[in-house]
Amino acid sequence: MNFQQLSNLQYWESIFSSPWAIFINFIDIILVTWLLYYFIRAIVGTKIMVLVRGVLLFVFAQVIASALGLRTISWLMNQVITYGVIAAVIIFAPEIRALLEKLGRATLFSSAQLTTEDKLIQAFVKSVEYMSPRKIGALVTIEGSRTLQEYIATGIPLDAAISSELLINIFIPNTPLHDGAVIVRNDKIAVASAYLPLSESTSIPKEFGTRHRAAIGVSEVSDAFTFVVSEETGAISITHNGIFQHDLTLEEFEIALRKVVNQNDAKSKNSLLDRLTGGKKE
């Protein structure tokens, strides 16, 4: 047994010498894997990814050359890797700086992704925050457990991911989609310019126009949550289950929206659970 083999044997014996050593080495492997994962995730799509691929290629070639006993090629690969790293740092300095800044801004806690519900709420609140002070009229209905297909059929199909920018752009005056309602289904904007049923209630004050009557009307025939931004005053209103609330602050609107969105999410999860379990209850 030569010195190299003896060293390898001692190394593996040290790893498995005790349960504590096994645990420590397991944690070591997990941490290295985690760091590699986030490093690769950070560089995907950047020029540095090309550099990493090139380095891995040279390392692989060096390992093969050493295994085959090709000393000259192995020596050349070592030189390329040694001095290539220095050259790469100089060539890719801007990209490396940007990567380090990105990693510096990211933390273990901030890396947690927002839930779909949080993203929806953020998009709605941000759009209302923009439109309300500018008096940009808006009408958005979020489908609940009762289908709004009858009204979706009257609109212009979009099937688009929800974003505040898209919502704002839809309701900019004198654009093709600004009239009518946006209907949200399954966390997407299903249609724009949809027609909702107008409430025939005589108790609605005359100061409220067609958007408000449509919002109240759809809440009378469904469990949809609807919010309105007044074109005249910029006031924020909501309707849900036949209840109309007017002139809300942005904070009040967010609280009401969050409550309904989270309820809808809980209902969808329960519905999925019922389907998986055959609707059986203990």
mmCIF file of all heavy atoms in Angstrom, residues 186-208:
data_model
loop_
_atom_site.group_PDB
_atom_site.id
_atom_site.type_symbol
_atom_site.label_atom_id
_atom_site.label_comp_id
_atom_site.label_asym_id
_atom_site.label_seq_id
_atom_site.Cartn_x
_atom_site.Cartn_y
_atom_site.Cartn_z
ATOM 1 N N ASN A 186 -58.606 32.124 -11.787
ATOM 2 C CA ASN A 186 -57.441 31.251 -11.582
ATOM 3 C C ASN A 186 -56.128 32.026 -11.611
ATOM 4 O O ASN A 186 -55.167 31.628 -12.279
ATOM 5 C CB ASN A 186 -57.412 30.132 -12.631
ATOM 6 C CG ASN A 186 -58.620 29.219 -12.528
ATOM 7 O OD1 ASN A 186 -59.169 29.035 -11.446
ATOM 8 N ND2 ASN A 186 -59.036 28.653 -13.653
ATOM 9 N N ASP A 187 -56.106 33.157 -10.912
ATOM 10 C CA ASP A 187 -54.896 33.964 -10.759
ATOM 11 C C ASP A 187 -54.387 34.541 -12.073
ATOM 12 O O ASP A 187 -53.205 34.849 -12.207
ATOM 13 C CB ASP A 187 -53.770 33.147 -10.095
ATOM 14 C CG ASP A 187 -54.199 32.587 -8.750
ATOM 15 O OD1 ASP A 187 -55.048 33.219 -8.097
ATOM 16 O OD2 ASP A 187 -53.687 31.537 -8.342
ATOM 17 N N LYS A 188 -55.275 34.690 -13.051
ATOM 18 C CA LYS A 188 -54.911 35.309 -14.328
ATOM 19 C C LYS A 188 -56.009 36.262 -14.775
ATOM 20 O O LYS A 188 -57.174 36.112 -14.382
ATOM 21 C CB LYS A 188 -54.678 34.251 -15.413
ATOM 22 C CG LYS A 188 -53.354 33.522 -15.301
ATOM 23 C CD LYS A 188 -53.079 32.715 -16.557
ATOM 24 C CE LYS A 188 -51.672 32.144 -16.552
ATOM 25 N NZ LYS A 188 -51.361 31.434 -17.816
ATOM 26 N N ILE A 189 -55.622 37.237 -15.583
ATOM 27 C CA ILE A 189 -56.627 38.113 -16.178
ATOM 28 C C ILE A 189 -57.257 37.348 -17.325
ATOM 29 O O ILE A 189 -56.633 37.147 -18.371
ATOM 30 C CB ILE A 189 -55.997 39.424 -16.679
ATOM 31 C CG1 ILE A 189 -55.404 40.214 -15.516
ATOM 32 C CG2 ILE A 189 -57.033 40.267 -17.413
ATOM 33 C CD1 ILE A 189 -54.704 41.493 -15.928
ATOM 34 N N ALA A 190 -58.477 36.891 -17.113
ATOM 35 C CA ALA A 190 -59.148 36.090 -18.140
ATOM 36 C C ALA A 190 -59.553 36.951 -19.328
ATOM 37 O O ALA A 190 -59.259 36.623 -20.479
ATOM 38 C CB ALA A 190 -60.369 35.394 -17.541
ATOM 39 N N VAL A 191 -60.234 38.074 -19.027
ATOM 40 C CA VAL A 191 -60.703 38.962 -20.106
ATOM 41 C C VAL A 191 -60.661 40.411 -19.646
ATOM 42 O O VAL A 191 -60.601 40.712 -18.454
ATOM 43 C CB VAL A 191 -62.149 38.618 -20.546
ATOM 44 C CG1 VAL A 191 -62.233 37.240 -21.150
ATOM 45 C CG2 VAL A 191 -63.117 38.761 -19.365
ATOM 46 N N ALA A 192 -60.713 41.297 -20.608
ATOM 47 C CA ALA A 192 -60.899 42.727 -20.360
ATOM 48 C C ALA A 192 -62.114 43.171 -21.163
ATOM 49 O O ALA A 192 -62.586 42.458 -22.056
ATOM 50 C CB ALA A 192 -59.662 43.511 -20.768
ATOM 51 N N SER A 193 -62.627 44.356 -20.855
ATOM 52 C CA SER A 193 -63.798 44.917 -21.553
ATOM 53 C C SER A 193 -65.028 44.018 -21.441
ATOM 54 O O SER A 193 -65.835 43.943 -22.377
ATOM 55 C CB SER A 193 -63.476 45.172 -23.035
ATOM 56 O OG SER A 193 -62.491 46.162 -23.157
ATOM 57 N N ALA A 194 -65.172 43.342 -20.314
ATOM 58 C CA ALA A 194 -66.339 42.480 -20.112
ATOM 59 C C ALA A 194 -67.516 43.306 -19.597
ATOM 60 O O ALA A 194 -67.334 44.346 -18.953
ATOM 61 C CB ALA A 194 -66.007 41.365 -19.128
ATOM 62 N N TYR A 195 -68.728 42.819 -19.879
ATOM 63 C CA TYR A 195 -69.937 43.488 -19.412
ATOM 64 C C TYR A 195 -70.495 42.744 -18.209
ATOM 65 O O TYR A 195 -70.718 41.531 -18.266
ATOM 66 C CB TYR A 195 -70.980 43.553 -20.539
ATOM 67 C CG TYR A 195 -70.569 44.457 -21.679
ATOM 68 C CD1 TYR A 195 -69.991 43.932 -22.831
ATOM 69 C CD2 TYR A 195 -70.747 45.836 -21.594
ATOM 70 C CE1 TYR A 195 -69.597 44.757 -23.878
ATOM 71 C CE2 TYR A 195 -70.360 46.669 -22.631
ATOM 72 C CZ TYR A 195 -69.787 46.130 -23.767
ATOM 73 O OH TYR A 195 -69.390 46.951 -24.791
ATOM 74 N N LEU A 196 -70.713 43.475 -17.128
ATOM 75 C CA LEU A 196 -71.271 42.890 -15.914
ATOM 76 C C LEU A 196 -72.730 43.322 -15.769
ATOM 77 O O LEU A 196 -73.127 44.369 -16.287
ATOM 78 C CB LEU A 196 -70.469 43.357 -14.686
ATOM 79 C CG LEU A 196 -68.975 43.018 -14.670
ATOM 80 C CD1 LEU A 196 -68.324 43.540 -13.385
ATOM 81 C CD2 LEU A 196 -68.746 41.519 -14.806
ATOM 82 N N PRO A 197 -73.532 42.546 -15.047
ATOM 83 C CA PRO A 197 -74.947 42.916 -14.877
ATOM 84 C C PRO A 197 -75.087 44.151 -13.994
ATOM 85 O O PRO A 197 -74.461 44.244 -12.936
ATOM 86 C CB PRO A 197 -75.551 41.678 -14.193
ATOM 87 C CG PRO A 197 -74.400 41.063 -13.459
ATOM 88 C CD PRO A 197 -73.208 41.289 -14.338
ATOM 89 N N LEU A 198 -75.893 45.095 -14.418
ATOM 90 C CA LEU A 198 -76.110 46.307 -13.638
ATOM 91 C C LEU A 198 -77.166 46.059 -12.564
ATOM 92 O O LEU A 198 -78.193 45.431 -12.822
ATOM 93 C CB LEU A 198 -76.559 47.458 -14.540
ATOM 94 C CG LEU A 198 -75.579 47.879 -15.653
ATOM 95 C CD1 LEU A 198 -76.180 49.035 -16.451
ATOM 96 C CD2 LEU A 198 -74.239 48.278 -15.064
ATOM 97 N N SER A 199 -76.875 46.541 -11.371
ATOM 98 C CA SER A 199 -77.838 46.405 -10.284
ATOM 99 C C SER A 199 -79.073 47.275 -10.558
ATOM 100 O O SER A 199 -78.965 48.402 -11.045
ATOM 101 C CB SER A 199 -77.202 46.821 -8.963
ATOM 102 O OG SER A 199 -78.150 46.811 -7.921
ATOM 103 N N GLU A 200 -80.236 46.735 -10.236
ATOM 104 C CA GLU A 200 -81.490 47.478 -10.414
ATOM 105 C C GLU A 200 -81.985 48.061 -9.096
ATOM 106 O O GLU A 200 -83.108 48.550 -9.004
ATOM 107 C CB GLU A 200 -82.546 46.555 -11.011
ATOM 108 C CG GLU A 200 -82.181 46.054 -12.404
ATOM 109 C CD GLU A 200 -83.244 45.138 -12.982
ATOM 110 O OE1 GLU A 200 -84.251 44.888 -12.286
ATOM 111 O OE2 GLU A 200 -83.068 44.677 -14.121
ATOM 112 N N SER A 201 -81.141 47.996 -8.079
ATOM 113 C CA SER A 201 -81.530 48.520 -6.768
ATOM 114 C C SER A 201 -81.766 50.031 -6.838
ATOM 115 O O SER A 201 -80.979 50.774 -7.434
ATOM 116 C CB SER A 201 -80.442 48.214 -5.738
ATOM 117 O OG SER A 201 -80.738 48.829 -4.501
ATOM 118 N N THR A 202 -82.844 50.463 -6.229
ATOM 119 C CA THR A 202 -83.190 51.892 -6.220
ATOM 120 C C THR A 202 -82.525 52.627 -5.054
ATOM 121 O O THR A 202 -82.637 53.852 -4.955
ATOM 122 C CB THR A 202 -84.715 52.064 -6.111
ATOM 123 O OG1 THR A 202 -85.180 51.392 -4.929
ATOM 124 C CG2 THR A 202 -85.407 51.478 -7.337
ATOM 125 N N SER A 203 -81.843 51.866 -4.202
ATOM 126 C CA SER A 203 -81.217 52.494 -3.034
ATOM 127 C C SER A 203 -79.816 53.009 -3.321
ATOM 128 O O SER A 203 -79.178 53.615 -2.458
ATOM 129 C CB SER A 203 -81.167 51.488 -1.878
ATOM 130 O OG SER A 203 -80.369 50.361 -2.238
ATOM 131 N N ILE A 204 -79.315 52.758 -4.523
ATOM 132 C CA ILE A 204 -77.975 53.208 -4.879
ATOM 133 C C ILE A 204 -78.009 54.707 -5.176
ATOM 134 O O ILE A 204 -78.781 55.157 -6.035
ATOM 135 C CB ILE A 204 -77.444 52.443 -6.110
ATOM 136 C CG1 ILE A 204 -77.419 50.953 -5.836
ATOM 137 C CG2 ILE A 204 -76.049 52.936 -6.489
ATOM 138 C CD1 ILE A 204 -77.034 50.119 -7.049
ATOM 139 N N PRO A 205 -77.213 55.504 -4.483
ATOM 140 C CA PRO A 205 -77.205 56.956 -4.739
ATOM 141 C C PRO A 205 -76.867 57.280 -6.194
ATOM 142 O O PRO A 205 -76.106 56.553 -6.848
ATOM 143 C CB PRO A 205 -76.111 57.462 -3.792
ATOM 144 C CG PRO A 205 -76.031 56.444 -2.702
ATOM 145 C CD PRO A 205 -76.319 55.130 -3.383
ATOM 146 N N LYS A 206 -77.415 58.366 -6.690
ATOM 147 C CA LYS A 206 -77.223 58.742 -8.089
ATOM 148 C C LYS A 206 -75.786 59.148 -8.401
ATOM 149 O O LYS A 206 -75.395 59.214 -9.562
ATOM 150 C CB LYS A 206 -78.168 59.887 -8.442
ATOM 151 C CG LYS A 206 -79.635 59.490 -8.410
ATOM 152 C CD LYS A 206 -80.523 60.649 -8.818
ATOM 153 C CE LYS A 206 -81.993 60.240 -8.809
ATOM 154 N NZ LYS A 206 -82.894 61.353 -9.209
ATOM 155 N N GLU A 207 -75.022 59.440 -7.357
ATOM 156 C CA GLU A 207 -73.628 59.845 -7.585
ATOM 157 C C GLU A 207 -72.768 58.714 -8.138
ATOM 158 O O GLU A 207 -71.699 58.941 -8.691
ATOM 159 C CB GLU A 207 -73.008 60.343 -6.275
ATOM 160 C CG GLU A 207 -72.910 59.273 -5.203
ATOM 161 C CD GLU A 207 -72.387 59.786 -3.876
ATOM 162 O OE1 GLU A 207 -71.148 59.810 -3.722
ATOM 163 O OE2 GLU A 207 -73.203 60.167 -3.027
ATOM 164 N N PHE A 208 -73.252 57.480 -7.970
ATOM 165 C CA PHE A 208 -72.493 56.330 -8.459
ATOM 166 C C PHE A 208 -72.909 56.004 -9.882
ATOM 167 O O PHE A 208 -74.109 55.871 -10.187
ATOM 168 C CB PHE A 208 -72.702 55.126 -7.553
ATOM 169 C CG PHE A 208 -72.202 55.344 -6.145
ATOM 170 C CD1 PHE A 208 -73.061 55.274 -5.060
ATOM 171 C CD2 PHE A 208 -70.868 55.637 -5.921
ATOM 172 C CE1 PHE A 208 -72.607 55.495 -3.773
ATOM 173 C CE2 PHE A 208 -70.396 55.859 -4.631
ATOM 174 C CZ PHE A 208 -71.266 55.789 -3.560
#
